[in-house]
């Protein structure tokens, strides 16, 4: 309340009333109440105005209050104001839940879908976050307020939900708005889960110590809305040794196995994971294929590694011993290519799921060197890449399947382009200082440029004329960053060290715009050790 001049505070005390009374607030004592009282009167501007502060006395919702100051108060020189003053205030209604996503009764909700709650007013995070519950509870679940819209919250389960299970998302009345007003009524919505969400995903291997990756995290490639982070949820977590004396060579508390690779099929149905046993020295790796949503194991293949999904997700190529095998999860059938040199990297598929480009290591002779060869999965044959001999590595296939880009060493050093399939284009060197990373379209290559005496950079290259456009630098990335190109060619993913000191995974558009964190590991948690993309 403001006066036209300073007044004597003692002449006001006892003349100020509120009707109806404010719960937990006695205005007759508010003029002398301490600073931590539920309500108190604070004088300002040399006693020419006062404010009723009531942090612990919340006004009732949708209520008209009458404030009255009876006449008889005076100024310091003794002039008395004899007029009664009254004014009215009507409070807003109690906050309400405007929408819950997924809505009550929804079925087939993606197991990795972020859950959102929309209120009709800004809500206090301190009271709203603990008032939101997901049942059955999922360990590690977080409630995240939208940083740009305080009326919206996201529930991010700590683990992928289980397919085919009914869940309930609820909000208790203990949630309050930014003014301390409690929710008008609690709300709950029940839903049933289905498979993984459509669209692109990132798969990140995370390690908490040098022993290796112990968590596999599935992420979306964009935030559900502005002001919220990208949804990240744990798909698999390696168990730890619970025996005090240890489990084989694994000490108590150490992981029983670690993950060396994880890739999601393009149809989002299957997850291929390579596990390394940590309890037995020299144990072979195991390739496990799981239903990505349900977590059920489809097959486990001892001694297998370097998995690679076909573009449609119906076939999985991998190495086992000296052979490359093709697994079909739909019916469990496996075919085998002729034995040959062992792979040094996962096979690269052509767009029709027939061509495989193999990066192999010569096993004969005293000196081993990598080379590139082709395989036809329909006829079951391995053969040399026409016109290309000698050491080579890093092969990638163009989206139309007519070109293979690869890096050759020695006197032929640099990125070369070789025609395959229906193309009869002879091999040609594109640039001596490039290492191919992937195609964004049939005419554009993403590559690592390392000019002599210069700094490495990620560039987009026109394969028709070797015109190069450098992409923006990656803060926190190593001098020669490892960059992954999505199968669609629209996005790039990479690892970089965040200000927290932890290595995180990031995604950006193929032109280098809109860099976004896929993970947000902080000090004392994990480091991202690899990232792959689908979509």
């Amino acid at each position: 309340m403001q006066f036209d001049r300073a007044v004597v505070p003692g002449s006001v005390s006892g003349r100020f009333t509120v009707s109806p009374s404010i719960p937990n607030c006695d205005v007759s004592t508010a003029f002398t109440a301490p600073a931590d009282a539920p309500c108190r009167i604070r004088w300002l501007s040399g006693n020419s105005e006062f404010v009723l502060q009531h942090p612990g006395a919340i006004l009732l919702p949708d209520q008209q209050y009458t404030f009255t100051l009876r006449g008889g108060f005076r100024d310091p020189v003794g002039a008395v104001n004899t007029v009664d003053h009254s004014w009215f205030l009507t409070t807003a209604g109690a906050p309400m839940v405007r929408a819950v996503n997924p809505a009550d009764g929804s079925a087939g909700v993606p197991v990795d879908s972020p859950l959102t709650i929309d209120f009709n007013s800004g809500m206090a995070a301190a009271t709203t976050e603990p008032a939101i519950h997901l049942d059955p509870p999922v360990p590690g679940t977080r409630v995240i307020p939208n940083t740009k819209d305080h009326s919206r919250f996201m529930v991010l389960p700590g683990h992928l939900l289980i397919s085919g299970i009914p869940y309930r998302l609820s909000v208790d009345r203990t949630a309050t708005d930014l003014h301390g007003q409690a929710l008008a009524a609690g709300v709950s919505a029940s839903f049933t889960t289905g498979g993984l969400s459509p669209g692109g995903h990132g798969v990140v291997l995370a390690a908490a110590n040098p022993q290796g990756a112990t968590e596999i995290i599935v992420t979306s490639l964009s935030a559900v809305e502005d002001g919220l982070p990208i949804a990240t949820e744990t798909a698999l977590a390696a168990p730890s040794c619970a025996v005090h004396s240890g489990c084989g060579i694994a000490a108590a508390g150490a992981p029983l196995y670690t993950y060396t690779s994880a890739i999601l099929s393009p149809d989002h149905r299957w997850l291929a994971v390579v596990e390394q046993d940590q309890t037995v020295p020299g144990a072979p790796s195991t390739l496990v294929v799981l239903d990505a949503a349900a977590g059920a194991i489809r097959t486990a293949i001892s001694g297998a590694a370097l998995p690679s999904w076909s573009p449609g997700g119906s076939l999985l190529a991998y190495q086992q011993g000296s052979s490359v095998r093709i697994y079909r999860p739909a019916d469990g059938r496996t075919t085998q290519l002729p034995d040959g040199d062992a792979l040094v990297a996962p096979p690269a598929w052509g767009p029709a799921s027939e061509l495989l480009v193999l990066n192999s290591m010569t096993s004969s002779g005293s000196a081993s060197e990598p080379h590139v060869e082709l395989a036809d999965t329909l006829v079951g044959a391995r053969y040399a890449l026409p016109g290309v001999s000698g050491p080579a590595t890093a092969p990638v296939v163009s989206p139309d399947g007519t070109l293979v880009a690869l890096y050759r060493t020695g006197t032929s050093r640099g990125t070369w382009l070789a025609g395959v399939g229906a193309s009869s284009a002879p091999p040609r060197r594109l640039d001596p200082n490039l290492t191919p990373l992937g195609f964004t379209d049939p005419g554009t290559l993403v590559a690592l440029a390392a000019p002599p005496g210069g700094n490495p950079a990620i560039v987009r290259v026109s394969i028709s004329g070797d015109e190069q456009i450098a992409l923006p630098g990656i803060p926190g990335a190593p001098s020669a960053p490892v960059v992954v190109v999505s199968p669609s060619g629209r996005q790039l993913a990479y690892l970089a060290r965040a200000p927290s000191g932890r290595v995180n995974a990031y995604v950006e558009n193929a032109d280098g715009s809109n860099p976004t964190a896929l993970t947000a590991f902080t000090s004392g948690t994990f480091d991202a050790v690899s990232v792959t993309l689908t979509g």
Side-chain angles (χ1 to χ4, degrees), residues 140 158 204-217 232-238 240 255 257-259 495-498 500-506 519-530:
V204 178
L205 294 188
N209 53 59
Q211 291 174 299
T214 55
E215 288 205 6
I216 298 174
I217 296 171
T232 61
E233 294 164 286
T234 299
L236 293 173
S240 299
Y257 52 82
T258 54
Y259 304 111
L495 304 181
R497 193 170 298 278
S500 66
R502 289 297 185 179
V503 176
N504 279 283
Y506 298 83
T519 59
F521 299 136
T522 57
S523 178
T525 56
F526 292 96
D527 283 310
V529 297
S530 73

Side-chain angles (χ1 to χ4, degrees), residues 134 156 222 271 392 469:
L134 178 64
L156 190 58
S222 61
L271 181 65
I469 300 175

Side-chain angles (χ1 to χ4, degrees), residues 100 117 128 131-135 155 168-172 186-189:
V100 176
I117 299 173
T128 303
I132 297 174
H133 308 282
L134 178 64
D135 295 296
V155 180
R168 185 177 72 255
L169 183 61
S170 59
V171 187
D172 296 339
V187 172
S188 67

